[in-house]
Amino acid sequence: MPIKKFSITYLLLCLVLILSSCGSQESKQTEVDEEKEATNKASEIKKNSVIIDIQPYEGLPKEITEHIFSELKKIHPNVSLLSTIALPQRAFYKPRGRYRADTLIDMLRNKTPNGHVTIGLTNKDISTSSGKHFDWGVMGLGFQPGKACVASTFRLSKTNTKEQFFKVAIHELGHTQGLPHCPNTQCIMTDAEGKNKTDNEKGFCSKCKAVLVNKGFDLSKLSL
């Protein structure tokens, strides 16, 4: 009798171990499948994401250009830095001594290849038409969506220019990726409304972030 009892106990133990092993293997396979799916999705997003071309204009300090380049590289897999070029005289608005941002964008767009988006960077004053104002000074401009945008340091703080300029740059790039202005006043996509609100911007809100992540941006590495 003791032997028979031992045999039944042993068989039950073996059955439990077998079932446990099967469950563990299924769990591991599920984890592998989920990881593979996530990797494939990330790879697909990266493949379909645009290439960001940074176009600096003459006069912009090199360290500012390099800061924008290095910060964008942290959050996007495809960023290139183009050679510095002169600001086109065709975009110069002599009555106000400014460069028309919409003209700059038009010229950048015409030389931007498919699958790319170009951001022009300058330290000169830029402007565009806004409502009843024909020549409205702005920190940056980008169309939603679009192949080009432009940003300027002219209206930014002199003490933390780099940090503010990066926010302006990714704000305009956000427009090119289809993002409108955001009602969240702490979101980078908030409307400046003629003011410099960059110091109040803490990052992208969840809705804006979701759009950019789907476009290939890795905002987990965003440092502000």
Side-chain angles (χ1 to χ4, degrees):
M1 292 297 292
I3 296 177
K4 185 177 181 180
K5 185 178 179 181
F6 173 79
S7 300
I8 294 173
T9 304
Y10 180 75
L11 288 173
L12 289 173
L13 180 60
C14 289
L15 181 60
V16 170
L17 290 174
I18 291 171
L19 291 175
S20 176
S21 176
C22 290
S24 178
Q25 289 178 3
E26 289 177 0
S27 177
K28 287 181 180 179
Q29 185 60 46
T30 300
E31 290 179 3
V32 170
D33 291 342
E34 289 177 349
E35 185 176 346
K36 186 177 180 180
E37 183 180 352
T39 301
N40 290 339
K41 184 177 180 181
S43 178
E44 188 67 20
I45 289 175
K46 182 177 180 179
K47 184 176 69 174
N48 294 331
S49 64
V50 297
I51 297 173
I52 299 174
D53 296 325
I54 299 175
Q55 179 59 77
Y57 288 109
E58 286 181 357
L60 185 68
K62 186 177 179 181
E63 62 268 22
I64 293 182
T65 300
E66 291 177 345
H67 177 74
I68 300 300
F69 176 63
S70 64
E71 291 302 305
L72 282 177
K73 286 284 288 183
K74 292 178 183 177
I75 63 172
H76 197 277
N78 305 311
V79 183
S80 68
L81 180 59
L82 306 178
S83 299
T84 301
I85 61 174
L87 279 160
Q89 283 304 303
R90 183 162 75 86
F92 187 63
Y93 183 60
K94 192 173 181 179
R96 302 294 296 274
R98 297 168 169 170
Y99 288 86
R100 295 286 297 184
D102 40 11
T103 302
L104 292 174
I105 289 175
D106 187 54
M107 297 178 75
L108 289 173
R109 180 176 56 217
N110 288 337
K111 70 173 189 176
T112 301
N114 289 333
H116 291 237
V117 60
T118 304
I119 178 167
L121 304 180
T122 181
N123 63 341
K124 305 301 182 184
D125 197 11
I126 60 176
S127 62
T128 188
S129 297
S130 177
K132 63 181 181 180
H133 302 281
F134 170 73
D135 192 63
W136 179 259
V138 293
M139 297 181 293
L141 185 68
F143 298 123
Q144 174 206 342
K147 291 180 65 176
C149 58
V150 63
S152 167
T153 63
F154 188 82
R155 297 173 181 275
L156 303 181
S157 166
K158 305 305 178 187
T159 57
N160 60 333
T161 304
K162 291 180 181 179
E163 292 76 12
Q164 290 190 355
F165 197 37
F166 178 58
K167 290 180 180 179
V168 174
I170 56 177
H171 173 103
E172 303 309 338
L173 284 170
H175 283 319
T176 68
Q177 301 306 295
L179 284 176
H181 281 134
C182 181
N184 186 330
T185 57
Q186 292 189 329
C187 178
I188 288 173
M189 294 309 300
T190 190
D191 189 350
E193 299 178 322
K195 302 175 183 178
N196 182 356
K197 302 178 180 179
T198 52
D199 285 342
N200 295 327
E201 298 166 4
K202 307 304 180 185
F204 289 100
C205 70
S206 57
K207 290 184 178 179
C208 293
K209 182 177 181 179
V211 172
L212 292 179
V213 168
N214 194 49
K215 295 282 187 176
F217 286 78
D218 182 5
L219 299 181
S220 66
K221 300 178 182 177
L222 179 66
S223 56
L224 299 174

